[in-house]
Amino acid sequence: MLLKQAISCLCRNNLYKNPLLKNYSLIATVLKSQLGETAEVKGWVKNLRVQKEHIFADVYDGSSAEKLQIIIPKALKTDTLTYGSSVNITGKITKSPRGQLELTAEDVKVIGQCIVMDGYPFNPRTAHPPEYVRQFLHLRSRTNYISAMLRVRHSITKHIHDYFYERNYTHIHTPILTSNDCEGAGEVFKVEPDNEETIKAMMQEGKNRETVYFGKKTYLTVSGQLHLEAICRGMGNVYTLGPTFRAENSRSRLHLSEFYMLEAELAFCDTLEKLKLTIEDLLKYIFIETRNTNEADLFLLDKNNKAPKWLDKNFVTVTYEEAKNLLQKKGKNASEDGLNKDEELALVEICQGVPVFVVEWPKNLKSFYMKESTSNSSMVDALDLLTPITGEMVGGSLREDDYMKLKHKLPSDSLNWYLDLRKFGNIPTGGFGLGLERLMQVVCSVSNIKDTLPFPRWPHNCDM
Ligand code: 4AD
Ligand code: MG
């Protein structure tokens, strides 16, 4: 044990000391350093203010929501030092009259100049509207808004993994290519080779075009749930966090063609109550941890962003029937096929902005794998969690574990493997899927989902 520790300590120290790895300081670190220390920073100039003897440069490097102000003696200014340029600056850490740490430059190198007049789309000290910024996906990370968003996203991802790691769930990489349409909603993207030579060669083996490559129709995944269920029935609690694809013809502020879904499958889960408690606990954990890790980013994204008032309240639960009645009382004439977005948001408002679980859904509105309620065979033990801003953020259910019932509902023979799971040492399970971008919308108070990920894809838009 001691030897193991000594070796790991040695390796770490050696790597840390390697000058190739530690040849400059991140701005996040500089902003916490001591006065008088020397620091070398590398980053991008966002703004320059020319004064009598000095130039003040605001430099960001992605490590912090806060800028590092650098005081550059005029003698060190070159023509290529403009906003948008990338720089390498060495200097001494000093303090501004306002008490802010800053760097007084002793050496300034422009790494890459920015040809501002040749189409650089962002102006200094300007809050460009999100629709404008979205036209420049390749340059968008230069804006404070998007870089703050991406830091929050990075932290939320870590908090999700921490949450499940601490609770002994195993992270499973479910496949992106799949032969099943888990949700059965006809929203799959088909996958085929885009190479006529390959297709021709494989067709000679007696297959049709659509199935030529894999021997069956193949899609981009709409959910890793069925694969998770398979692993769960051998390994216990599992989860996955990965790209998910839906060919919905929706350009709404809540839909993407490619998004990230967190899905968890809980072993030996036989009540919706357990599922609900897990979702509520997870969400509160993420909100609290993100406020701790990314306070400055959240402030930058929305100066009024406060901890939501529901953090110390219990989430509300209503049945689908109750939800419809509540909406009717508010004059919302309920549609028959589920809850539309308006109704979802109205329901959250009726519940005073506290997230609300809608449970006990009519079977015909939900997917084949959901467990028939023991009390009413026309209902399933399903839940949707509705939140402010997005309406539905989570969808989940107990899974049908009765072999015969599942056999009757199975949409295709190609899912016989899924039925098999109920034959060999089956267990009750339940699980849920949470849209990471919708979670981001609520954490960051962002109305349009397209601004919660670096490269959004939606109908007619797949730039880069
Ligand atoms: O409700 P959904 O369709 O549930 C499932 O896919 C289940 N198989 C999950 C499970 O039980 N393992 O999708 C889950 C969540 C939605 O509540 C929503 O937050 C998000 O995924 N989502 C989308 N997010 C962005 N763009 C889209 N087009 C989305 N479709 C679903
Ligand atoms: Mg759903």
Side-chain angles (χ1 to χ4, degrees):
M1 192 62 201
L2 268 180
L3 184 65
K4 241 190 191 171
Q5 273 174 5
I7 290 173
S8 107
C9 195
L10 201 69
C11 293
R12 273 194 220 140
N13 281 344
N14 281 345
L15 280 181
Y16 180 68
K17 282 180 187 160
N18 188 322
L20 273 179
L21 291 180
K22 202 179 174 305
N23 60 349
Y24 66 96
S25 303
L26 293 178
I27 286 174
T29 317
V30 172
L31 289 170
K32 289 184 202 133
S33 303
Q34 300 292 320
L35 277 180
E37 280 181 21
T38 297
E40 179 182 357
V41 297
K42 299 185 184 185
W44 293 265
V45 176
K46 294 276 175 78
N47 184 36
L48 281 172
R49 290 181 305 284
V50 182
Q51 301 215 334
K52 237 186 187 168
E53 282 160 29
H54 295 103
I55 292 153
F56 292 87
D58 297 341
V59 176
Y60 292 78
D61 66 358
S63 66
S64 166
E66 282 155 65
K67 66 180 183 210
L68 177 65
Q69 176 161 277
I70 302 189
I71 303 158
I72 302 172
K74 267 200 171 153
L76 295 180
K77 163 92 170 89
T78 55
D79 287 347
T80 53
L81 181 69
T82 64
Y83 71 86
S85 60
S86 52
V87 290
N88 177 354
I89 300 179
T90 306
K92 281 244 157 33
I93 297 173
T94 46
K95 212 179 221 174
S96 73
R98 283 190 182 170
Q100 190 70 28
L101 286 190
E102 52 188 17
L103 197 70
T104 301
E106 289 163 356
D107 183 52
V108 177
K109 289 191 190 77
V110 172
I111 302 172
Q113 70 180 100
C114 178
I115 324 286
V116 172
M117 299 315 281
D118 195 17
Y120 187 64
F122 307 130
N123 297 323
R125 294 157 74 87
T126 309
H128 301 91
E131 297 76 21
Y132 173 80
V133 177
R134 230 178 275 141
Q135 296 172 45
F136 308 99
L137 293 183
H138 60 306
L139 297 171
R140 218 165 54 138
S141 65
R142 311 289 183 88
T143 65
N144 291 345
Y145 189 85
I146 291 296
S147 55
M149 186 75 72
L150 295 180
R151 275 187 300 272
V152 172
R153 188 176 168 104
H154 163 68
S155 297
I156 288 185
T157 307
K158 177 187 184 303
H159 300 322
I160 289 172
H161 287 303
D162 285 351
Y163 182 87
F164 286 111
Y165 194 91
E166 284 160 18
R167 286 156 186 80
N168 285 309
Y169 282 64
T170 308
H171 179 210
I172 304 299
H173 291 121
T174 51
I176 289 172
L177 295 179
T178 174
S179 51
N180 77 66
D181 171 6
C182 172
E183 294 305 298
E187 290 167 354
V188 286
F189 285 101
K190 207 159 53 175
V191 178
E192 284 174 15
D194 184 28
N195 182 322
E196 287 307 316
E197 291 297 308
T198 310
I199 291 175
K200 236 190 267 166
M202 294 182 90
M203 289 278 258
Q204 284 158 8
E205 291 158 27
K207 305 209 176 75
N208 72 46
R209 203 186 160 94
E210 275 189 323
T211 59
V212 71
Y213 192 85
F214 289 106
K216 47 181 71 169
K217 270 181 141 184
T218 310
Y219 314 107
L220 295 179
T221 185
V222 293
S223 163
Q225 176 197 326
L226 305 188
H227 301 103
L228 270 191
E229 280 198 54
I231 309 285
C232 180
R233 283 167 172 78
M235 292 187 68
N237 291 337
V238 286
Y239 75 101
T240 189
L241 173 60
T244 308
F245 306 86
R246 302 242 169 140
E248 284 168 275
N249 187 11
S250 171
R251 297 189 227 177
S252 84
R253 61 174 192 88
L254 295 159
H255 289 90
L256 292 163
S257 309
E258 175 181 327
F259 61 100
Y260 269 63
M261 203 195 314
L262 163 68
E263 296 184 87
E265 196 65 22
L266 282 60
F268 309 104
C269 176
D270 46 11
T271 64
L272 269 189
E273 205 52 38
K274 288 180 192 165
L275 206 53
K276 279 168 39 191
L277 281 175
T278 305
I279 296 167
E280 182 169 343
D281 190 48
L282 166 73
L283 275 179
K284 288 179 172 170
Y285 175 91
I286 293 171
F287 270 82
I288 291 166
E289 291 303 314
T290 308
R291 301 208 80 77
N292 288 336
T293 49
N294 292 69
E295 196 186 1
D297 289 314
L298 292 174
F299 183 74
L300 194 154
L301 292 169
D302 174 9
K303 303 226 168 346
N304 303 314
N305 190 319
K306 296 195 189 76
K309 51 186 191 299
W310 48 259
L311 263 183
D312 57 358
K313 297 207 171 91
N314 293 330
F315 288 6
V316 179
T317 301
V318 297
T319 65
Y320 175 74
E321 189 70 30
E322 286 166 348
K324 286 289 185 190
N325 290 338
L326 284 169
L327 288 165
Q328 224 151 29
K329 272 188 209 152
K330 288 274 166 190
K332 297 253 166 204
N333 243 339
S335 51
E336 276 311 302
D337 49 352
L339 299 171
N340 62 32
K341 195 51 67 188
D342 253 13
E343 293 170 336
E344 287 177 1
L345 291 170
L347 195 59
V348 177
E349 215 174 285
I350 293 171
C351 299
Q352 274 139 27
V354 177
V356 45
F357 286 110
V358 181
V359 299
E360 283 182 35
W361 286 76
K363 200 187 264 178
N364 64 316
L365 296 182
K366 291 290 184 185
S367 303
F368 78 95
Y369 52 72
M370 297 189 174
K371 187 176 164 61
E372 188 181 290
S373 303
T374 29
S375 53
N376 182 344
S377 65
S378 66
M379 302 296 223
V380 283
D381 287 328
L383 63 81
D384 274 7
L385 178 71
L386 315 180
T387 55
I389 299 182
T390 63
E392 180 188 344
M393 183 200 281
V394 181
S397 75
L398 298 184
R399 317 307 191 189
E400 186 56 81
D401 53 358
D402 181 300
Y403 184 90
M404 286 317 287
K405 282 183 185 161
L406 189 58
K407 192 174 159 73
H408 283 121
K409 291 199 291 180
L410 211 62
S412 144
D413 281 351
S414 66
L415 279 173
N416 277 339
W417 65 265
Y418 183 69
L419 195 57
D420 256 10
L421 300 175
R422 275 55 180 175
K423 203 159 65 176
F424 305 125
N426 191 31
I427 58 167
T429 73
F432 64 87
L434 175 155
L436 181 68
E437 289 75 14
R438 294 210 185 154
L439 171 64
M440 288 280 300
Q441 284 185 273
V442 181
V443 172
C444 303
S445 309
V446 187
S447 102
N448 198 316
I449 197 165
K450 298 174 190 80
D451 298 323
T452 64
L453 74 173
F455 301 107
R457 275 87 177 81
W458 71 99
H460 305 304
N461 287 276
C462 192
D463 288 344
M464 288 179 72

